[in-house]
Amino acid sequence: MRPARPAVLVARHIFPEISARLAAHFDVEANDQPVDWPRDELLRRLQGKAGAFISSTEPIDAALLDACPGLRALCTMTVGYNNIDVAACTARGVVVTNAPDVLTETTADFGFALMMATARRITESEHFLRAGRWQRWSYDMFVGADVHGATLGILGMGRIGQAIARRGALGFGMPVIYHNRSRLAPEVEAPLGARWVEKAELLRHADHLVIVVPYSASSHHAIGAAELALMKPSATLTNIARGGVVDDAALAVALAERRIAAAGLDVFEGEPQVHPALLNLPNVVLTPHIASATAATRMKMALLAADNLIAVLGGKPPLTPVN
Ligand code: DGY
């Protein structure tokens, strides 16, 4: 008789190839619908499971872990893991893995594109055209801000922040300033001409501010009314980090009052809900958390999570451990 295989839960609707890969190793129960399971259903389905394939939308806390004592591995296909109480997992011997590196360049491409769309008013002008409002060319129609040569400010200089800095410095001749808990090594800063500055200086001098800092209690509302007040009225702000890093209500006020020029947002507090004031503003580009969404990259992210699950439940070290 074949020995019993570990049971795993795939909490997200995911590529069939990934489910098939997991099914070669485990007894798989998978979410085969594009729906988010409510917490009680997630908890019920996790019963008897040794591991779970998750994403950034399944909240994992101590109470859930206590209700699922068989869990040994939680593998998210995202790089961000602020939905997981990692300390509670560690205390209960549950291995947590995430999906770094595989999405860095794709996410940086999108961050840069969103910043450019924001600076050059691409979606606002497209809406104008689609609405049939384009009558004539005019010297001041949708004038925006230059990206090339402008000062790129980056809040959070991890892998994705550095990839955005590369695009700005090497592709668009942008002077780069950044704020991060720790300063990069001089040999990392030098090719980018990147300069560490205090947060207030970053806010005061950036022409285009891109936010890439991970969400945590300490980065909650890192950009609120006081911080926005330090920015130039001509500046743009792009958030590809997490909703909650920016105070969306304060941002909507700053945009409405033109205290900053424009914003590009891929992430929102309480997403998929979006602050209603943002929806009514012309000077904000809004996208539904798609910075890592290319077919190739999403496949790599999912594959990494699956391979982490296979490694950990197979008694091997995780490929990309969080704890
Ligand atoms: C990530 O990987 O953290 C992306 O934001 C998708 O949630």
Side-chain angles (χ1 to χ4, degrees):
M1 208 175 75
R2 207 171 64 163
R5 303 185 320 158
V8 302
L9 185 70
V10 179
R12 306 295 306 173
H13 183 51
I14 192 65
F15 300 99
E17 295 91 323
I18 299 299
S19 300
R21 183 171 179 79
L22 290 169
H25 297 262
F26 308 118
D27 286 338
V28 177
E29 178 181 348
N31 183 349
D32 56 8
Q33 298 298 317
V35 293
D36 294 344
W37 284 329
R39 180 188 167 87
D40 55 347
E41 183 166 2
L42 178 66
L43 204 146
R44 181 172 61 73
R45 291 182 185 268
L46 277 170
Q47 296 307 308
K49 303 295 191 299
F53 178 115
I54 61 172
S55 74
S56 58
T57 52
E58 285 74 43
I60 307 291
D61 55 27
L64 179 139
L65 294 169
D66 287 340
C68 308
L71 268 182
R72 288 188 280 134
L74 284 167
C75 302
T76 176
M77 67 173 282
T78 59
V79 66
Y81 49 86
N82 54 292
N83 54 313
I84 305 174
D85 183 339
V86 176
C89 289
T90 307
R92 289 158 182 79
V94 178
V95 175
V96 179
T97 69
N98 69 337
D101 298 320
V102 289
L103 49 54
T104 300
E105 299 300 329
T106 297
T107 304
D109 281 352
F110 187 88
F112 211 83
L114 187 57
M115 184 259 281
M116 291 194 78
T118 303
R120 297 302 308 274
R121 305 175 64 179
I122 287 178
T123 56
E124 185 186 357
S125 58
E126 192 203 352
H127 292 152
F128 169 88
L129 180 152
R130 283 181 190 269
R133 294 168 56 203
W134 185 22
Q135 304 293 334
R136 67 188 62 80
W137 183 91
S138 162
Y139 78 96
D140 61 351
M141 188 168 70
F142 292 108
V143 291
D146 275 325
V147 170
H148 71 274
T151 297
L152 174 59
I154 301 180
L155 182 63
M157 198 61 152
R159 301 174 187 87
I160 298 170
Q162 290 172 45
I164 290 171
R166 275 198 299 281
R167 282 157 178 75
L170 309 180
F172 288 77
M174 301 175 85
V176 176
I177 53 177
Y178 71 95
H179 181 76
N180 199 48
R181 257 185 325 197
S182 50
R183 230 188 119 147
L184 297 180
E187 61 273 21
V188 180
E189 281 186 347
L192 305 174
R195 196 163 59 83
W196 185 95
V197 292
E198 293 291 350
K199 187 173 160 192
E201 189 179 342
L202 179 80
L203 296 165
R204 280 196 192 97
H205 294 294
D207 292 312
H208 302 297
L209 176 68
V210 182
I211 298 165
V212 209
V213 71
Y215 182 78
S216 66
S218 62
S219 65
H220 179 74
H221 286 188
I223 303 292
E227 289 74 19
L228 291 162
L230 295 177
M231 294 178 68
K232 300 179 191 181
S234 55
T236 72
L237 175 155
T238 298
N239 185 10
I240 56 163
R242 275 288 182 272
V245 174
V246 174
D247 177 346
D248 285 349
L251 176 63
V253 172
L255 289 167
E257 295 178 356
R258 304 278 166 169
R259 284 194 265 113
I260 68 168
L265 305 175
D266 186 49
V267 288
F268 305 88
E269 285 191 279
E271 64 186 49
Q273 303 305 315
V274 175
H275 195 291
L278 290 171
L279 294 170
N280 294 325
L281 291 168
N283 52 341
V284 58
V285 181
L286 306 168
T287 53
H289 202 148
I290 56 168
S292 63
T294 65
T297 292
R298 284 284 163 86
M299 178 59 91
K300 286 183 201 158
M301 293 161 70
L303 195 55
L304 183 52
D307 285 350
N308 268 307
L309 209 44
I310 292 166
V312 177
L313 297 184
K316 300 203 179 81
L319 307 173
T320 47
V322 167
N323 60 353

